[in-house]
Amino acid sequence: MMTAVTQLRISAKNLGELARPDFCPRCFWLKTHAKRLPFQIFPGIFSSIDAYTKRVIHAWMDKNGGAPFGLGELGRITGYIDPPSHHSFRMEVPEHDILFTGAPDGILTFADGTIAIIDYKTARYTKTQDKLMPMYVVQVNGYAAIAEHLNFGDVSKLALVYAEPVTDHDTAASPEIHTEDGFAMPFSVSIHPVDLDLGMLEPLYKRAREIYDLPEAPDGRVGCEDCKKLDKLVLLAQGR
Ligand code: SF4
């Protein structure tokens, strides 16, 4: 039994977990209390590709002005702001004793003085089938709230920038992809605009705080068998 009276530190992405259709309050409680869970290995290659996407866009803008791909559809882009890290990109939400953090992938500036928050996703782009979309929507709205709080500018646009590897047979067989020391893989970029709705955050802060303050882990998601498997493993390890 534990009592949570401490500040809840949560990232915009983790707050977005609450908006997922398969959200599990037990998982959320465990993650927010344990801080780091074992066996959580996320392949670093995706972060590397996201960072590379950012460098490609910034390099293109430095050289040509404006914006590459379909980013210009968001508005008249004049440049970018180097995105800050989660060490400084944060704000207090005193009503719920929450420290809300984030690390936006991209901040673009518009001719009218407003800004756009963008986030890179190394993934196949499907307009409607990404079950993580509700989480991403909260994530970028969360970044927008922090950006405005820190006076980066008024946020007028949000977007997800999907970079999807092009891996079809014809591309793999084309001579251009072969290099001296290996091969290149092209990426197809799609822009997914997201509605700006900072009002969605308040009920999520409240819900996050409620779950965090529970004295013990709540029940898990109906139908998820993994907790049962974990219980079996614990019994096995105890020789029972
Ligand atoms: S029920 Fe499933 S999703 Fe929830 S805590 Fe257990 S393993 Fe995680």
Side-chain angles (χ1 to χ4, degrees):
M1 171 96 90
M2 55 193 298
T3 311
V5 290
T6 54
Q7 184 180 57
L8 168 59
R9 179 183 166 154
I10 189 167
S11 70
K13 191 168 184 183
N14 285 345
L15 189 76
E17 293 271 353
L18 286 116
R20 289 179 57 166
D22 58 353
F23 172 68
C24 173
R26 184 175 177 83
C27 248
F28 184 84
W29 190 95
L30 290 169
K31 277 189 209 164
T32 47
H33 281 274
K35 312 297 179 200
R36 285 186 76 85
L37 294 177
F39 312 122
Q40 287 216 310
I41 301 165
F42 186 75
I45 188 68
F46 294 106
S47 300
S48 298
I49 298 172
D50 288 349
Y52 185 64
T53 308
K54 177 177 73 180
R55 287 188 203 115
V56 168
I57 291 175
H58 286 184
W60 198 97
M61 293 168 81
D62 288 342
K63 201 169 165 193
N64 306 301
F69 321 128
L71 279 171
E73 289 171 19
L74 296 175
R76 199 152 79 75
I77 292 167
T78 53
Y80 60 86
I81 297 170
D82 270 323
S85 77
H86 67 96
H87 296 293
S88 59
F89 199 74
R90 52 177 57 191
M91 69 176 195
E92 304 266 350
V93 185
E95 302 86 341
H96 303 287
D97 196 10
I98 283 176
L99 179 62
F100 192 43
T101 68
D105 285 340
I107 303 177
L108 305 177
T109 56
F110 290 121
D112 66 1
T114 63
I115 59 173
I117 303 286
I118 57 176
D119 207 72
Y120 304 123
K121 305 293 179 198
T122 304
R124 189 174 298 279
Y125 177 57
T126 52
K127 268 190 180 157
T128 53
Q129 289 167 9
D130 194 337
K131 69 174 185 175
L132 298 176
M133 187 59 75
M135 179 173 77
Y136 296 155
V137 168
V138 174
Q139 182 186 7
V140 286
N141 271 284
Y143 293 163
I146 299 172
E148 292 197 343
H149 177 80
L150 297 177
N151 295 320
F152 277 84
D154 290 334
V155 178
S156 60
K157 290 282 164 60
L158 303 173
L160 305 174
V161 178
Y162 282 81
E164 178 179 344
V166 180
T167 58
D168 62 89
H169 182 269
D170 288 349
T171 304
S174 69
E176 295 83 50
I177 64 110
H178 296 283
T179 62
E180 282 288 308
D181 53 356
F183 61 88
M185 182 190 288
F187 284 82
S188 164
V189 174
S190 304
I191 313 295
H192 182 92
V194 172
D195 288 341
L196 184 67
D197 176 13
L198 301 190
M200 74 169 59
L201 300 173
E202 171 55 30
L204 297 174
Y205 295 143
K206 186 168 180 288
R207 181 83 180 112
R209 187 74 227 187
E210 283 169 357
I211 298 172
Y212 184 66
D213 283 348
L214 291 172
E216 54 194 56
D219 288 342
R221 196 178 67 219
V222 176
C224 178
E225 296 295 313
D226 289 348
C227 266
K228 288 183 198 152
K229 288 179 193 159
L230 179 63
D231 289 343
K232 277 188 196 160
L233 279 175
V234 171
L235 289 176
L236 196 61
Q238 291 170 341
R240 290 196 262 158

